Amino acid sequence: MSTPSLLTLHAAVSGGGSLLAATLELDYPNKPGALRGVSFDIEAGEIVGLIGESGSGKSSVAMCLMRLLRARGTRLRGSIRFDGRDLLASSEREMRRIRGRDIGLVLQSPLASLNPMLRVGAQMAEAWRAHRSTSNEQMRGEIARAMEMVSLPSTDEFLRRYPRQLSVGLAQRVLIAMAILHRPKLLIADEPTSALDVITSAEILKLFARLNRELGMAILFISHDLLSVAALCHRVAIMKSGELVECAPAARIFAAPAHPYTRELVAALPRMPGAPDQLPVSSTNLSTAIEKMAGLP
C-alpha cells in the first residue's frame, strides 16, 4: 500500500500555494531508510503537527529541513522547496542566512540549547546581530518586543540572568523568543513541551497558538503527544518507522482514523472519567480537554 502524500491530502482542505513542500529520503550510515518517501507541505500561516514514536524519524525531518545533518556518510535525497527557493540546492552560506531569519527552530531541551556561559540578553543580541545590522537602540526594542510576545520581562535584571538561573519553562520561552526574533515565516518546534510539566506544557501550547494567530507564522509542531498536537494543529501527520502513514485534520484523526497505527494511538489515549468510548470530536472540545487535563480554568 503506497504512503499517502500530505500534499495530496491537504489539497482537499486548502487550495492555496504551499510555503513549504518537501519530499525526503534519508539514509544514515548505520540506518539506511531512516526516511522513506516522506512528502508533505505546509501552507503560510498553517500549523501542522507531526506525531511519531521514538525512532520514527520525526526529528530527522526537522534536521533535513534545516539542513543540519552533519554525520559523515549521511545521504539526503528528494526536494525541499521553501518560499520559492530550493533548499537542497542552497549553499551552506545561503542556509546560514535562512536559518533563524526565515525558518526558526525550537528544540526540546531548552537548558541544553542555551549557552550556559552567556547571559540571556547576550544570547538574544547574538541572535539579532546574526541577521541584522542596526543600532543598539533598535536591537533592544526588537528584543523587548520578542520577550513581550512570549510573556517574559525585558528588564535588565532578567536579561542579565544566566540559563542556570531560569526554570525549564522560562528557558523554553527564551528559546521561543530567540526563534521568533526575526519573525520567520516558518517555525519548527521539535518536542518543545517534552521537558515540561503538564501545566507549563499547556501554557506553551497556548503561546504557539497565539504566535500563529498574531504573527501569521506557519508552525511545524513535532511531538509524541497526540492530544497536544490535536489541540493546537490544523492538520496532524502520523509517522511510523520512517514513513508517513496518515495525515488529516485533527478532528478526522480522532473520529475516523484510517491507518491501523493511527487507530492504535487513538485507542491508547486516556479517557475522561465517565466518558463514552466514542465522542464527537472537534478542535474546540479537544482544546477544552487539554486544558482540563492540565488543570487550567
Side-chain angles (χ1 to χ4, degrees):
M1 183 177 179
S2 60
T3 299
S5 164
L6 270 168
L7 188 61
T8 303
L9 288 162
H10 187 41
V13 181
S14 172
S18 298
L19 173 67
L20 174 77
T23 299
L24 304 174
E25 300 272 351
L26 176 65
D27 297 318
Y28 290 118
N30 60 345
K31 188 179 180 181
L35 296 178
R36 300 187 299 281
V38 175
S39 297
F40 64 97
D41 77 331
I42 300 176
E43 299 285 329
E46 183 186 26
I47 309 178
V48 173
L50 188 60
I51 283 284
E53 61 193 1
S54 297
S56 63
K58 58 188 186 298
S59 291
S60 292
V61 169
M63 294 299 101
C64 288
L65 297 180
M66 297 294 285
R67 292 272 311 276
L68 289 173
L69 297 164
R70 307 296 192 195
R72 185 188 297 270
T74 299
R75 295 183 62 216
L76 171 60
R77 304 177 305 284
S79 65
I80 305 173
R81 301 286 305 181
F82 172 74
D83 198 25
R85 289 168 286 187
D86 183 352
L87 297 191
L88 281 187
S90 298
S91 67
E92 177 57 27
R93 183 177 182 181
E94 291 170 327
M95 286 303 304
R96 283 198 296 269
R97 288 197 292 265
I98 292 170
R99 297 183 197 115
R101 185 189 68 184
D102 301 316
I103 304 177
L105 178 64
V106 178
L107 296 173
Q108 62 180 304
S109 302
L111 292 175
S113 299
L114 294 170
N115 187 331
M117 304 304 294
L118 291 181
R119 300 178 192 271
V120 168
Q123 297 190 57
M124 294 292 294
E126 278 194 355
W128 176 258
R129 293 191 182 108
H131 299 288
R132 298 284 192 274
S133 296
T134 65
S135 66
N136 287 338
E137 182 180 3
Q138 183 176 348
M139 178 186 69
R140 285 193 293 269
E142 293 296 333
I143 291 174
R145 276 187 279 275
M147 300 292 274
E148 181 181 0
M149 282 184 182
V150 300
S151 302
L152 286 177
S154 57
T155 61
D156 287 343
E157 185 277 329
F158 187 85
L159 293 174
R160 288 183 59 79
R161 292 187 191 181
Y162 288 98
R164 65 178 178 273
Q165 296 173 302
L166 304 176
S167 68
V168 177
L170 287 178
Q172 189 63 283
R173 288 178 185 269
V174 170
L175 272 188
I176 296 171
M178 291 175 67
I180 66 169
L181 187 57
H182 296 284
R183 310 294 193 273
K185 294 182 178 180
L186 174 64
L187 180 65
I188 300 174
D190 187 8
E191 298 271 14
T193 61
S194 63
L196 307 178
D197 63 80
V198 65
I199 293 178
T200 307
S201 294
E203 292 171 349
I204 294 297
L205 289 176
K206 287 184 176 182
L207 171 59
F208 279 120
R210 182 164 58 82
L211 292 174
N212 169 257
R213 183 174 63 252
E214 295 179 359
L215 300 180
M217 186 182 297
I219 300 174
L220 176 61
F221 189 86
I222 300 171
S223 179
H224 62 275
D225 185 346
L226 182 55
L227 272 178
S228 295
V229 165
L232 174 69
C233 300
H234 302 120
R235 286 185 297 142
V236 178
I238 310 293
M239 285 195 67
K240 181 174 176 57
S241 302
E243 295 185 336
L244 185 78
V245 298
E246 185 168 358
C247 176
R252 191 186 307 167
I253 287 286
F254 277 76
H259 192 274
Y261 178 63
T262 309
R263 291 197 289 270
E264 288 182 19
L265 289 178
V266 173
L269 291 173
R271 300 284 178 178
M272 297 295 287
D277 288 340
Q278 297 296 328
L279 290 174
V281 180
S282 69
S283 58
T284 300
N285 61 39
L286 280 173
S287 298
T288 302
I290 290 294
E291 292 175 4
K292 286 182 177 179
M293 291 173 69
L296 298 177

